[in-house]
Amino acid sequence: MPRVIGHLDLDYFYAQVEEVEKPSLKERPVIVCVFSGRTEESGVVSTANYKAREFGVHSGMPIAQAKKRLEGHDSEVIRMDHEKYEVVSSRIMEELERLVDVLEPTGIDEAFFDLTGSTKGDYGEARKLAESIKDTIMKNERLTCSIGIGRSKVVAKLGSDMAKPGGLTVISPETTESFLAPLDASKLYGVGPKTTLTLEEIGIKTVGELAKADRSELEKRFGMKFGGYLLAAATGTDADPVVAGLEPTQFSRVVTLKRDTRDPGEVAEQLSEGIRYIHGKLTSSGKSFRTVTAIGILTDLSTKTRSKTFETSVSDPTVIRETVPALFDELSRTIGKDFRRAGVRISGLENAQDQTSLSEFLSPTR
Ligand code: DCP
Ligand code: CA
Ligand code: CA
């Protein structure tokens, strides 16, 4: 049975999350930026929506340069809010985990998955499943993504790259060779500028040419391991399995407050449901935790945190409810500004084999 491997990548992720929060942005060029703080404009573009990309703006570009390119085009500059994207990302990953046989997240906005078992190697079935995954993400999060399906990770990744934005590329085992052959070898996962140059030196430009290359020649140039990988990648026979994602290391929830406030009680109250969600995650995963963090996003959109770490790991989730107001109380005293958004994170997760009794964490350390 051929393997059925998928790769999913969310489109212009940070910027698309911002568009969902403020739909009028969809009509305008948007750049999400990381400000270094040195001068008002210093920093880089983290990502840009496709409207902004039309003007040549891209990830990693200095903010000043991006602004120049977007001058007169009614663009929006947004400060990167990593917590926010993390929260959306973990929700999507959890949902995906239910929809596929095995999920291997490889970044904040992407994951490999395996559908071999549930499709019994049927690529028509795989197409339907991939479409329903796209529909689910659209329905739940209003976000578009790109998916590639193929018989190996390398092929699946090429498929999702090619499908960008918003598409689906299904490369069945029968069409893999003809799909790969005309592509530039530099498109293959793991083939950077240096490898591309060396390949060109031995007369290889396309994946088809690489697939026909002499194994010993590749091994001589690139070493046994990477040489072998190149040949496998070029023939769509790289055998790397999809490995279930790492154990979660944290659970978090961030909400936008009904009104800006610095009252810890009011903040804790509005985080009630988020805390309940975290309780649920703790119980269902059988984890205990060491650290509770209060996350405050202020009216100037800066993020401030305050945490408390317990000496022993805690499995009683009511501790979160007790700790959060105190942490927000401390936070609000130091910042002198209102919170616009607020969140809770628990981390230092461990498997809760032995239940820690309440008395054991009554003397917390900082
Ligand atoms: N990112 C970043 N700095 C970079 C590249 C990316 O901060 N140099 C962040 C912002 C992106 C996210 O990581 O939204 C995901 O990166 P991708 O490379 O997948 O790029 P995008 O999702 O933004 O766009 P695409 O539609 O091309 O996938
Ligand atoms: Ca992406
Ligand atoms: Ca990505």
Side-chain angles (χ1 to χ4, degrees):
M1 198 199 293
R3 291 195 300 161
V4 182
I5 310 279
H7 183 261
L8 180 150
D9 190 291
L10 295 155
D11 300 323
Y12 62 106
F13 182 48
Y14 295 1
Q16 205 185 170
V17 170
E18 298 294 345
E19 287 184 355
V20 170
E21 198 171 291
K22 189 176 162 193
S24 63
L25 291 178
K26 282 191 183 293
E27 314 305 321
R28 304 163 51 202
V30 174
I31 53 175
V32 175
C33 300
V34 185
F35 292 90
S36 69
R38 211 164 310 140
T39 71
E40 205 179 311
E41 289 229 313
S42 62
V44 294
V45 174
S46 170
T47 195
N49 68 356
Y50 281 78
K51 280 241 149 60
R53 291 183 197 190
E54 282 170 24
F55 299 100
V57 172
H58 55 77
S59 296
M61 181 179 269
I63 296 168
Q65 191 181 345
K67 278 187 172 171
K68 196 169 278 166
R69 295 203 176 184
L70 295 172
E71 219 167 86
H73 297 290
D74 187 30
S75 60
E76 179 101 348
V77 178
I78 296 173
R79 185 180 292 270
M80 182 183 83
D81 180 351
H82 200 263
E83 276 302 331
K84 174 158 73 186
Y85 316 133
E86 275 293 349
V87 171
V88 176
S89 167
S90 24
R91 269 206 308 263
I92 293 174
M93 294 298 173
E94 275 166 32
E95 182 72 41
L96 282 175
E97 211 143 42
R98 282 195 282 275
L99 300 172
V100 301
D101 302 352
V102 188
L103 186 77
E104 180 183 356
T106 50
I108 190 166
D109 79 331
E110 61 186 277
F112 283 107
F113 55 87
D114 194 310
L115 294 174
T116 313
S118 52
T119 60
K120 303 195 179 66
D122 179 336
Y123 272 68
E125 262 327 290
R127 176 184 292 279
K128 282 189 213 150
L129 272 172
E131 271 159 5
S132 81
I133 288 171
K134 285 162 65 73
D135 291 347
T136 304
I137 297 177
M138 177 46 75
K139 187 172 121 260
N140 294 346
E141 304 288 344
R142 317 297 315 159
L143 290 172
T144 64
C145 66
S146 304
I147 296 183
I149 304 275
R151 68 183 182 197
S152 76
K153 280 185 168 176
V154 167
V155 176
K157 175 85 170 70
L158 282 168
S160 70
D161 283 348
M162 202 160 285
K164 259 177 190 312
L168 166 64
T169 316
V170 178
I171 304 127
S172 66
E174 304 77 53
T175 57
T176 304
E177 204 186 322
S178 57
F179 166 82
L180 289 173
L183 302 177
D184 278 347
S186 61
K187 289 251 158 58
L188 290 175
Y189 182 77
V191 176
K194 217 176 119 203
T195 305
T196 305
L197 218 65
T198 313
L199 285 172
E200 275 169 12
E201 278 168 23
I202 53 176
I204 294 171
K205 268 205 87 103
T206 67
V207 177
E209 286 159 3
L210 180 58
K212 288 199 226 88
D214 180 43
R215 176 180 291 272
S216 54
E217 170 86 17
L218 291 177
E219 287 175 352
K220 196 178 84 205
R221 295 271 176 167
F222 300 102
M224 288 283 277
K225 208 166 158 215
F226 190 53
Y229 165 78
L230 285 175
L231 206 52
T235 48
T237 55
D238 47 297
D240 197 19
V242 177
V243 184
L246 300 173
E247 297 267 288
T249 57
Q250 59 161 64
F251 296 125
S252 64
R253 254 323 193 230
V254 178
V255 300
T256 302
L257 300 170
K258 294 199 183 87
R259 61 176 190 118
D260 296 346
T261 178
R262 68 186 76 177
D263 174 19
E266 201 174 325
V267 171
E269 162 68 30
Q270 291 188 45
L271 274 171
S272 224
E273 203 180 308
I275 294 174
R276 208 170 313 132
Y277 160 85
I278 293 175
H279 281 192
K281 297 299 293 178
L282 267 180
T283 315
S284 63
S285 63
K287 298 276 176 195
S288 58
F289 60 94
R290 289 286 294 269
T291 302
V292 180
T293 302
I295 303 161
I297 295 143
L298 311 184
T299 42
D300 66 0
L301 297 185
S302 59
T303 302
K304 299 279 185 283
T305 60
R306 195 82 173 188
S307 39
K308 183 181 231 174
T309 297
F310 296 94
E311 253 171 51
T312 52
S313 122
V314 182
S315 57
D316 179 353
T318 57
V319 173
I320 305 170
R321 207 170 284 282
E322 288 158 10
T323 311
V324 164
L327 290 173
F328 274 105
D329 187 40
E330 286 180 33
L331 252 189
S332 63
R333 261 186 251 260
T334 54
I335 53 177
K337 278 201 191 75
D338 282 351
F339 299 112
R340 171 165 297 175
R341 311 180 68 229
V344 181
R345 175 171 57 221
I346 58 164
S347 52
L349 299 184
E350 289 166 20
N351 290 321
Q353 294 118 347
D354 16 75
Q355 300 287 305
T356 309
S357 73
L358 247 155
S359 59
E360 280 175 69
F361 52 74
L362 283 178
S363 50
T365 54
R366 210 20 71 75

